[in-house]
Amino acid sequence: MEKYDVTGMTCAACAAHVEKAVRGVDGVEDVAVSLLTNSMSVSGSAKSGDIIKAVQAAGYGASVQEKENADSLLADRETPKLKKRLVLSAAFLLVLMYFTMGHTMLGAPLPAFFEKNAFAQGIAQLVLTTIIIIINRRFFISGFRGLVHRAPNMDTLVSLGAGAAYIYGICTLFTIGSEYLKGNAEAAHGLIHNLYFESAGMILTLITVGKLLESVSKGRTTNALKGLMKLKPKTAVIEVDGTEKEVNIDSVRHGDIFVVRAGGSIPVDGEIIDGSGSVDESALTGESIPVDKAPGDKVYAATINKTGFMRCRALKVGEDTTLAGIIRTVSDASATKAPIARIADKVSGVFVPCVMAVALVTAAVWLLLGKDIGFSLARGISVLVISCPCALGLATPVAIMVGNGVGAKNGILFKTAEALETAGKTQIAVLDKTGSVTNGAPVVTDAAVSGKTDENTLLQYAFSLEALSSHPLAKAVNIYCNEKGIAALPVTDFAEKAGNGLSGAIDGVTYYAGSLKYISAVSPVPEEIKERCESLASRGRTPVLVASKEKVLGVLGIADTVKADAKKAVDSLKNMGVRVVMLTGDNARTAQAVADEVGIDEVISGVLPDGKGEVIRALSEQGKTAMVGDGINDAPALTLADSGIAIGAGADIAVDAADIVLIKDGLRFAPAAVRLSRATLRIIHQNLFWAFFYNIICIPLAAGVWIPLTGWSLSPMVGAAAMSLSSFCVVMNALRLNLFNVFDGSKDRKIKPGDYSPVEITETEKTKMTATVLIEGMMCPHCETHMKQALEALPFVDEAKPSHEAAQAVISLNAPADEEAVKSAVTEAGYVYKGIKEG
């Protein structure tokens, strides 16, 4: 997708004409024109030169957008120009209004020369109005250029209205002059009220007021994006030959060592190699609580080191940093068009010609009804100047821009305008268990001893054996024991039996750690321990027993625990009327235990990654579906869902399969995304209603439809004021989104649910076997391809899906996995085998 800057657009009709012109270029697949940012995004194979020519042929200017930088994006070039125009216009308008309203209506004094000479008054008004027209000549240039290219716009309406009043005033001035030549001074004075020069001046000035208000308020819609760009650090302190040196941020390269002291801003994405600190990451995640960082932890550009000192190695610099990615995502989303905007676009495309026709018919009808030309012209001019296609054109994009900004501030990134619109229509939320509902890493949750064994002894023997294993469950035991300060004992004759357990000699006695089945084969297991194992399993815990041949020391319960905010997030989704389904490849017992803990009523378990896509297809037939997953193993499901939400993406904000990326690893951000989308949709609906309602009510009023019934009429000056305020009101309404709290569910409303029916999983999908191979050393997609070929060469592997980011490969099996064969395949491919786990 290539971006272009477009010049000369002043209203929604302009944007519609540009879009129509570019769509006609060979090779253009899609185009989205943004009146809000005066930009255009084009996808396809068309050459940029052909696209620019098409825009120029339509009467506008275009150029390929330069690489974005903070200075160019933050610069507001239009508002200062409008301020200058308004000040000059208002100054001359005040003098003009003194001649017209002040003298003729209020009796304000004039110099004797003007007092007695109506023609001189008229000449003065003509000169003042001409000056105002020259100051605001852009309306006329743009408006008549649109007419020439058969693409009339809002400026056409303004220029026709003001021009008609101006020309009518000149004609009247000629009549006044002829009356003077005839010696009929009294008749000449009577015509001074019919000049209408003040209407032309007032129309142009009031429209400029509206343009200024619109420009200022439109600038505020990009405040979130501007705020992100201002976060970019300007300098960094790097180590050069053992000494610290402050350099421009652009000078930092991958691999450089940089230092950050307390209170300092982290310049680029990196990894801590020495020191520690407490880092405020609210700029990226929306979380106000600082995060403790230690060696090995990742740090991100624009976050603040609150306390401590850190030496870090630069990993991502320049446009590759997480912050740059967020800015790019928000900017790209603002350049796309929401489906709901198409209604306004269609109307805007025919709006101006229709208004011109209505104005012409209005003036003609009043003339036929016997009204004088001044009255009839006033009605026609009122129709021209009160009609506002801008409110229609801005109704959707301003809300999308603000909504995207609010999302970015809270760690929620919508990749397109359509994603922001679709999320709010979600009827079914499908949550992947591992990594979405749970933390994605096993931890020790329970410790129960047998007989007279104390807990420390149980943990010490468990730690001694598990410390020599690379199994994920062993890692959970090791972390738990280290936190409790347990010391491991020396182990000899260590052995690991895949899928069963461990054994090793401690002080000459052989001890075992593993499943109930494994331990039962080597040691008598007391009934109380068996019951405890059953209880743990019923709650989704994996029992790991520790024993010698003579006795069982006890059992540890290990589980992938649910996230702290999971239950609250599920409750929030339910309160919004969303049907919540948990989808997992785990066994039914474990899945149901997790679902019960967080309040999910519907569970679909034992499903492979490919099978998840089929489930999403089935659920999508029952209602708008959102899939919440980790963006790696859930890629097929994320792609097939109406809204794919990647949770806990962190620095990897460009998850290809997802429509929405949640930077923070918290489930509460999923309902927050839905809530923000709904709020944005409400604003869009309000704006569209106002834009249509305004025109439906005001155009008949301006045309004088109500005069025979109620006597209501509208002068051109009041019409210009109304037009100026209409766009301003639309933009200001959108800015209310900045006050919206995405985590406040107190005002959530339930939407109409989809057609509910349980989704059946075929036996084939249920009985398919999978395993996850843990691999270190893969660095890129080429490594993934190499690893995929090596694993799929094994006879029991149907398909392998390696991920260098997750350091693993998910394999689909047609027979039980031979761990030694898998280990050999990984090692021979040049990578480090770290273990295998089922599911």
Side-chain angles (χ1 to χ4, degrees):
M1 182 168 63
E2 194 164 20
K3 291 184 179 180
Y4 297 81
D5 290 318
V6 182
T7 58
M9 294 192 300
T10 56
C11 69
C14 298
H17 292 310
V18 170
E19 189 166 313
K20 183 178 179 181
V22 174
R23 283 191 187 279
V25 177
D26 290 337
V28 171
E29 294 175 3
D30 193 26
V31 57
V33 179
S34 172
L35 175 65
L36 186 65
T37 56
N38 289 313
S39 63
M40 172 177 66
S41 300
V42 182
S43 57
S45 58
K47 295 179 180 178
S48 58
D50 294 338
I51 291 170
I52 291 171
K53 285 180 182 176
V55 175
Q56 290 173 342
Y60 304 91
S63 60
V64 176
Q65 199 171 83
E66 298 294 327
K67 193 174 183 181
E68 285 183 356
N69 58 74
D71 293 334
S72 64
L73 186 66
L74 299 180
D76 184 358
R77 300 180 181 88
E78 191 64 22
T79 301
K81 293 178 183 177
L82 286 169
K83 283 182 179 177
K84 185 178 179 180
R85 275 171 54 187
L86 179 59
V87 170
L88 291 172
S89 298
F92 287 101
L93 179 66
L94 284 173
V95 180
L96 175 61
M97 295 304 291
Y98 185 86
F99 270 97
T100 56
M101 310 288 284
H103 173 66
T104 59
M105 296 183 67
L106 303 177
L110 283 176
F113 175 74
F114 289 111
E115 188 80 42
K116 298 176 181 179
N117 193 328
F119 186 70
Q121 287 185 40
I123 291 295
Q125 292 181 36
L126 173 64
V127 171
L128 291 166
T129 306
T130 302
I131 293 171
I132 295 173
I133 287 175
I134 292 171
I135 293 168
N136 295 280
R137 60 190 176 277
R138 278 190 61 182
F139 289 126
F140 293 87
I141 294 170
S142 173
F144 287 107
R145 184 173 58 198
L147 275 179
V148 170
H149 288 90
R150 291 183 296 178
N153 52 39
M154 186 206 78
D155 288 346
T156 306
L157 299 179
V158 174
S159 57
L160 284 176
Y166 182 71
I167 292 170
Y168 179 75
I170 292 174
C171 293
T172 305
L173 187 59
F174 273 110
T175 305
I176 292 173
S178 66
E179 291 296 333
Y180 263 107
L181 291 174
K182 294 175 185 177
N184 195 350
E186 188 175 339
H189 272 281
L191 292 171
I192 196 70
H193 298 286
N194 299 332
L195 282 175
Y196 274 99
F197 284 129
E198 77 278 4
S199 292
M202 183 67 81
I203 287 169
L204 294 172
T205 305
L206 286 176
I207 298 298
T208 303
V209 171
K211 285 287 184 182
L212 177 61
L213 292 174
E214 184 182 315
S215 178
V216 171
S217 53
K218 275 164 60 177
R220 291 179 185 171
T221 65
T222 58
N223 277 354
L225 186 56
K226 292 174 183 176
L228 285 172
M229 299 196 80
K230 286 179 179 178
L231 290 173
K232 282 186 175 181
K234 300 292 188 295
T235 61
V237 178
I238 63 173
E239 290 187 355
V240 180
D241 299 328
T243 60
E244 294 181 8
K245 181 181 179 182
E246 186 173 4
V247 298
N248 187 284
I249 193 69
D250 295 330
S251 301
V252 182
R253 297 289 179 263
H254 181 276
D256 284 352
I257 305 300
F258 62 89
V259 298
V260 186
R261 291 179 169 78
S265 177
I266 295 170
V268 296
D269 290 4
E271 181 179 39
I272 299 175
I273 57 177
D274 187 27
S276 61
S278 182
V279 179
D280 178 1
E281 297 183 340
S282 58
L284 303 185
T285 65
E287 291 282 6
S288 58
I289 301 174
V291 181
D292 292 333
K293 300 283 185 177
D297 289 339
K298 298 288 193 299
V299 292
Y300 305 107
T303 56
I304 307 297
N305 180 25
K306 291 292 187 181
T307 60
F309 172 85
M310 299 182 294
R311 291 179 68 247
C312 311
R313 179 179 289 106
L315 299 179
K316 293 182 179 180
V317 300
E319 294 302 308
D320 294 328
T321 64
T322 302
L323 176 66
I326 292 173
I327 293 169
R328 193 161 50 247
T329 301
V330 175
S331 179
D332 288 348
S334 301
T336 61
K337 189 161 287 186
I340 196 171
R342 291 169 191 156
I343 302 170
D345 287 346
K346 289 178 181 178
V347 174
S348 298
V350 297
F351 183 84
V352 175
C354 290
V355 168
M356 290 168 62
V358 170
L360 191 62
V361 170
T362 297
V365 167
W366 282 114
L367 283 171
L368 291 173
L369 290 175
K371 293 293 183 178
D372 62 68
I373 190 169
F375 180 90
S376 303
L377 186 63
R379 303 287 72 75
I381 292 172
S382 294
V383 170
L384 287 173
V385 298
I386 203 169
S387 307
C388 189
C390 282
L392 279 172
L394 291 171
T396 300
V398 291
I400 293 293
M401 174 68 86
V402 180
N404 268 315
V406 172
K409 284 194 295 186
N410 289 281
I412 304 167
L413 301 181
F414 297 91
K415 288 191 172 181
T416 62
E418 184 173 0
L420 179 55
E421 179 183 336
T422 305
K425 300 175 182 177
T426 299
Q427 295 170 295
I428 304 168
V430 183
L431 311 180
D432 174 54
K433 181 182 77 70
T434 306
S436 297
V437 179
T438 65
N439 289 300
V443 296
V444 176
T445 58
D446 302 83
V449 297
S450 176
K452 295 181 180 180
T453 305
D454 63 83
E455 186 176 310
N456 277 353
T457 301
L458 167 65
L459 293 174
Q460 187 171 43
Y461 281 84
F463 185 26
S464 301
L465 293 172
E466 300 288 3
L468 302 176
S469 173
S470 59
H471 194 279
L473 296 184
K475 184 178 179 181
V477 174
N478 297 340
I479 292 172
Y480 184 75
C481 291
N482 276 320
E483 289 175 349
K484 285 188 166 288
I486 304 295
L489 300 171
V491 177
T492 58
D493 300 326
F494 176 78
E496 187 169 6
K497 295 184 179 180
N500 287 300
L502 315 170
S503 65
I506 300 174
D507 294 332
V509 179
T510 301
Y511 286 87
Y512 305 87
S515 65
L516 176 60
K517 180 180 179 182
Y518 174 61
I519 297 299
S520 296
V522 297
S523 179
V525 181
E527 284 300 316
E528 61 175 313
I529 293 297
K530 289 181 179 179
E531 290 175 3
R532 191 58 183 262
C533 289
E534 180 65 25
S535 172
L536 289 170
S538 68
R539 292 187 289 123
R541 273 62 171 158
T542 300
V544 175
L545 290 79
V546 182
S548 64
K549 287 187 177 180
E550 288 74 29
K551 65 174 183 177
V552 173
L553 300 183
V555 59
L556 300 177
I558 302 176
D560 181 8
T561 55
V562 301
K563 291 181 176 177
D565 63 352
K567 181 166 176 42
K568 186 175 181 180
V570 170
D571 290 341
S572 292
L573 288 168
K574 286 182 174 180
N575 288 338
M576 287 189 274
V578 178
R579 171 185 166 195
V580 183
V581 179
M582 189 168 78
L583 182 60
T584 178
D586 254 346
N587 63 74
R589 190 174 191 178
T590 301
Q592 192 60 55
V594 172
D596 291 342
E597 191 171 348
V598 298
I600 297 176
D601 302 318
E602 190 174 350
V603 179
I604 302 173
S605 58
V607 185
L608 290 174
D610 287 345
K612 289 180 180 180
E614 296 303 318
V615 173
I616 293 297
R617 277 197 183 96
L619 288 170
S620 294
E621 292 176 1
Q622 302 176 22
K624 292 287 185 182
T625 303
M627 172 70 194
V628 183
D630 59 16
I632 302 169
N633 295 333
D634 300 311
L638 288 171
T639 303
L640 290 168
D642 296 295
S643 295
I645 304 175
I647 189 171
D652 187 23
I653 64 166
V655 180
D656 291 334
D659 304 301
I660 303 166
V661 178
L662 310 180
I663 297 176
K664 193 71 176 175
D665 190 16
L667 191 58
R668 70 192 182 106
F669 289 87
V674 176
R675 192 174 291 121
L676 175 58
S677 174
R678 289 188 181 182
T680 305
L681 279 172
R682 277 197 301 273
I683 293 292
I684 291 173
H685 290 148
Q686 290 166 7
N687 282 352
L688 287 173
F689 172 80
W690 163 252
F692 281 111
F693 176 80
Y694 164 84
N695 284 292
I696 289 169
I697 295 298
C698 289
I699 291 176
L701 180 62
V705 170
W706 302 107
I707 291 176
L709 300 174
T710 62
W712 294 346
S713 65
L714 204 67
S715 77
M717 289 181 283
V718 175
M723 181 186 183
S724 300
L725 289 173
S726 61
S727 297
F728 176 70
C729 290
V730 163
V731 178
M732 291 305 293
N733 187 45
L735 287 173
R736 292 194 302 116
L737 270 175
N738 282 316
L739 305 176
F740 184 72
N741 182 355
V742 298
F743 301 110
D744 182 8
S746 61
K747 296 180 181 179
D748 286 343
R749 295 180 182 177
K750 291 190 176 184
I751 62 169
K752 182 181 178 182
D755 297 326
Y756 175 84
S757 60
V759 174
E760 295 295 331
I761 307 301
T762 64
E763 283 302 314
T764 304
E765 288 171 330
K766 286 181 179 178
T767 56
K768 279 182 180 177
M769 293 180 289
T770 63
T772 301
V773 184
L774 306 178
I775 305 166
E776 282 188 0
M778 293 189 294
M779 302 294 290
C780 64
H782 295 292
C783 296
E784 293 177 353
T785 302
H786 185 45
M787 193 69 259
K788 179 180 176 70
Q789 292 170 346
L791 290 172
E792 289 181 350
L794 299 172
F796 50 83
V797 176
D798 282 337
E799 184 183 16
K801 293 184 177 179
S803 167
H804 72 279
E805 296 166 323
Q808 66 181 33
V810 178
I811 55 176
S812 301
L813 306 171
N814 53 43
D818 181 343
E819 186 176 7
E820 286 303 317
V822 173
K823 182 177 181 180
S824 178
V826 172
T827 305
E828 289 177 6
Y831 304 102
V832 181
Y833 173 79
K834 301 297 290 184
I836 187 171
K837 59 181 181 178
E838 296 181 1

